[in-house]
């Protein structure tokens, strides 16, 4: 539990960043298949894109709180390519820069046609996906065998798909309030949410299992993982509840349900990341 508290800034960073990135991925998938979105709906969508951008900006601020001194942020330039965590921040900043440019271009009317919007939003979504992968790989440390596995990355990708899809779905439904999101676009939202739920649960459960079966001469492994059982149960249960919201309500009620699902997903992802940080049992421990 002490490890979770110590890594609180990074837990907040990975929670908020994954949801913000996932919203752009969800919006790209919906925009790609929804060619008949009205101009008024697009304008509302562009304004509401500030919401996932806000998530990402706050996430970046949380990451800097993990530094011993804010001045250490300037050392990032000197460690690009040699430090996994630096690569994580750089990849995220590249995504954030692209997302901001996309937002500005869309606000001034530069993406009024479907094809340019799909291409640009696709580039942003791809940059976000790369940033999420780098976020997971940042913890692949040989000294911590449980982290030095693909399951941390799997968990981050699941968080991105579940939380991001719910946030993106909320924004999309608010944007097309006159003609509720439906058909193939709505189907993509539901599919991504279900996939995210499955991936997040599997990744978190495997990490917990690895932590429970780890061996340490100095740590009571059973007691350590025992404190994480309740968060694990809550993660699984709330993940299912959050996913269920994509099937509930119509029109304004559907937007409300998706908003509630987003809040639940944020709690779920934070709990899941807490489990990740809670199983950091190193070779020397």
């Amino acid at each position: 539990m002490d490890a979770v508290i110590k890594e609180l800034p990074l837990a907040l960073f990975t929670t908020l960043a994954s949801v913000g990135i996932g919203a752009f991925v969800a919006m790209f998938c919906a925009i790609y298949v929804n060619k008949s979105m009205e101009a008024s709906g697009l304008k509302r969508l562009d304004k509401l894109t500030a919401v996932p951008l806000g998530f990402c900006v706050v996430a970046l601020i949380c990451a800097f709180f993990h530094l011993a001194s804010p001045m250490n942020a300037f050392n990032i330039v000197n460690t690009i390519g040699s430090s996994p965590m630096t690569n994580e921040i750089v990849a995220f900043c590249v995504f954030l820069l692209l997302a901001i440019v996309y937002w500005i271009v869309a606000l001034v009317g530069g993406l009024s046609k479907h094809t340019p919007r799909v291409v640009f939003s696709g580039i942003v979504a791809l940059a976000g996906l790369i940033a999420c992968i780098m976020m997971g790989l940042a913890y692949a440390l040989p000294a911590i065998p449980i982290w030095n596995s693909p399951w941390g990355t799997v968990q981050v990708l699941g968080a991105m798909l579940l939380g991001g899809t719910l946030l993106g779905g909320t924004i999309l439904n608010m944007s097309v309030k006159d003609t509720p999101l439906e058909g193939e676009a709505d189907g993509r939202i539901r599919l991504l949410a279900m996939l995210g739920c499955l991936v997040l649960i599997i990744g978190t459960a495997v990490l917990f299992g690895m932590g429970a079966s780890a061996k340490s001469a100095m740590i009571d492994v059973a007691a350590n993982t025992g404190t994480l059982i309740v968060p694990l149960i809550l993660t699984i249960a709330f993940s299912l509840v959050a996913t269920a919201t994509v099937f509930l309500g119509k029109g304004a009620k559907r937007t409300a349900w998706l908003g509630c699902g987003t809040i639940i997903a944020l709690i779920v992802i934070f709990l899941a990341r807490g489990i990740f940080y809670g199983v950091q049992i190193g070779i020397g421990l």
Side-chain angles (χ1 to χ4, degrees):
M1 190 58 67
D2 290 340
V4 177
I5 296 174
K6 179 182 177 182
E7 305 292 352
L8 183 59
L10 291 180
L12 290 171
F13 166 68
T14 51
T15 297
L16 296 173
S18 60
V19 173
I21 290 171
F24 280 95
V25 173
M27 288 190 292
F28 161 70
C29 292
I31 291 170
Y32 180 78
V33 299
N34 190 3
K35 299 179 181 180
S36 59
M37 195 169 180
E38 297 179 355
S40 59
L42 288 174
K43 288 182 179 179
R44 284 193 293 270
L45 176 62
D46 294 336
K47 292 178 181 178
L48 289 168
T49 300
V51 176
L53 275 176
F55 271 65
C56 293
V57 170
V58 174
L60 189 60
I61 293 172
C62 290
F64 284 115
F65 271 101
H66 187 260
L67 300 174
S69 169
M71 296 303 294
N72 290 337
F74 294 103
N75 294 329
I76 288 178
V77 178
N78 299 323
T79 55
I80 295 176
S82 60
S83 169
M85 288 196 174
T86 296
N87 296 339
E88 168 195 25
I89 296 298
V90 170
F92 181 73
C93 287
V94 170
F95 154 76
L96 184 56
L97 179 61
L98 285 171
I100 291 173
V101 173
Y102 166 83
W103 180 51
I104 293 173
V105 173
L107 284 177
V108 299
L111 299 176
S112 56
K113 294 184 178 180
H114 184 257
T115 300
R117 181 176 289 270
V118 168
V119 172
F120 205 161
S121 63
I123 292 172
V124 174
L126 179 60
L129 180 61
I130 293 173
C132 269
I133 293 174
M134 298 302 291
M135 206 180 298
L137 293 176
Y139 298 92
L141 306 174
I144 306 178
I146 298 172
W147 284 6
N148 195 29
S149 72
W151 295 107
T153 303
V154 169
Q155 188 194 59
V156 171
L157 291 174
M160 178 201 71
L161 289 173
L162 177 59
T165 297
L166 287 165
L167 177 60
T170 302
I171 292 171
L172 285 162
N173 274 271
M174 291 175 68
S175 303
V176 294
K177 58 183 180 181
D178 299 325
T179 53
L181 193 69
E182 57 186 15
E184 191 174 359
D186 196 28
R188 293 289 177 91
I189 295 297
R190 290 174 174 174
L191 178 62
L192 287 174
M194 290 189 292
L195 179 61
C197 176
L198 179 63
V199 173
L200 178 62
I201 289 175
I202 291 176
T204 304
V206 171
L207 286 167
F208 176 84
M210 292 174 68
S213 60
K215 296 181 179 180
S216 173
M218 300 182 66
I219 288 180
D220 187 340
V221 175
N224 183 67
T225 53
T227 61
L228 302 175
I229 292 177
V230 172
L232 176 65
I233 294 173
L234 291 176
T235 296
I236 295 172
F238 286 172
S239 293
L240 297 173
V241 172
T243 305
T245 61
V246 300
F247 297 95
L248 302 175
K250 292 183 179 180
K253 289 185 178 180
R254 177 162 175 70
T255 302
W257 276 113
L258 287 169
C260 290
T262 301
I263 295 172
I264 296 171
L266 284 168
I267 297 171
V268 165
I269 296 167
F270 184 74
L271 288 172
R273 294 306 293 170
I275 292 172
F276 174 81
Y277 292 114
V279 295
Q280 56 171 302
I281 302 172
I283 292 174
L285 298 179

